[in-house]
Amino acid sequence: GPERASVAYRLRFDECGADGAIRAGTCLRLAQDVAWVHSEQLGYDRAWYAERGLMWLVRGVDLALHVPVTSGVVLVATTRLTGFRRIWARREAWLETEVGERVASILTDWVMADASGVPTRIPAEFGARFAEPLPPFEPTAADLPPAPDVAGRFPFAIRAADLDPFGHANN
């Protein structure tokens, strides 16, 4: 049904850190990819977004890593929508081994934006895809202390390989 989508991925060597364990960025990439799969299953593929000049932007993520799996492990990424607000949507995703061991839990708050990146109202037809209305939620917010006086800036170049189809640098 439309409630969730799952995709199996084989964890690659380059998706792990120097310690051999899955990187946090890999978890986020898999959560993003399975979200696209789910969107396509619901009838909202990239052409649908392009025709309307719409896109989703990540505004907050809560990631919990539970088990440090290594390359070669097959992970099943599953996602579902868990909430809607006027311009916001919340997705829950989780990564599990093939035997059901939870590797990571990812809660992502997305904002619908127009082609120029300005937040815009989610089309009414989105809610019509679900038997039960999705509840509102409080967006994720990080409670960060002020930057220390010794904080520095470290410029780095973003490579073309770091950009997604919307031209955003991700993860």
Side-chain angles (χ1 to χ4, degrees):
E3 294 81 24
R4 63 180 60 191
S6 294
V7 177
Y9 301 90
R10 182 184 179 277
L11 188 58
R12 299 183 327 234
F13 178 80
D14 64 316
E15 295 173 317
C16 298
D19 63 354
I22 189 170
R23 296 174 195 236
T26 300
C27 297
L28 299 177
R29 184 184 61 75
L30 296 179
Q32 181 182 33
D33 192 63
V34 74
W36 267 115
V37 169
H38 191 214
S39 185
E40 291 166 350
Q41 288 175 354
L42 292 170
Y44 307 113
D45 60 12
R46 292 179 194 211
W48 185 92
Y49 287 98
E51 289 167 8
R52 290 157 182 82
L54 297 173
M55 65 179 140
W56 289 105
L57 299 173
V58 173
R59 294 299 305 211
V61 174
D62 185 1
L63 167 65
L65 291 168
H66 307 295
V67 177
V69 294
T70 58
S71 65
V73 171
V74 174
L75 297 175
V76 178
T78 302
T79 191
R80 65 182 180 152
L81 284 161
T82 60
F84 272 123
R85 291 174 50 137
R86 191 173 60 86
I87 63 170
W88 296 79
R90 172 167 281 173
R91 275 192 177 278
E92 176 185 18
W94 55 96
L95 307 177
E96 296 179 332
T97 64
E98 291 180 298
V99 296
E101 182 178 29
R102 182 72 55 109
V103 172
S105 302
I106 307 110
L107 194 66
T108 308
D109 292 342
W110 301 78
V111 171
M112 169 94 20
D114 65 18
S116 63
V118 174
T120 189
R121 191 177 285 274
I122 297 171
E125 68 185 86
F126 270 70
R129 295 279 187 191
F130 301 92
E132 298 289 323
L134 294 170
F137 60 93
E138 283 302 314
T140 299
D143 186 20
L144 301 174
D149 292 335
V150 296
R153 292 184 180 264
F154 301 96
F156 61 93
I158 297 175
R159 304 167 302 164
D162 297 326
L163 301 177
D164 70 12
F166 291 123
H168 302 134
N170 290 307
N171 306 328

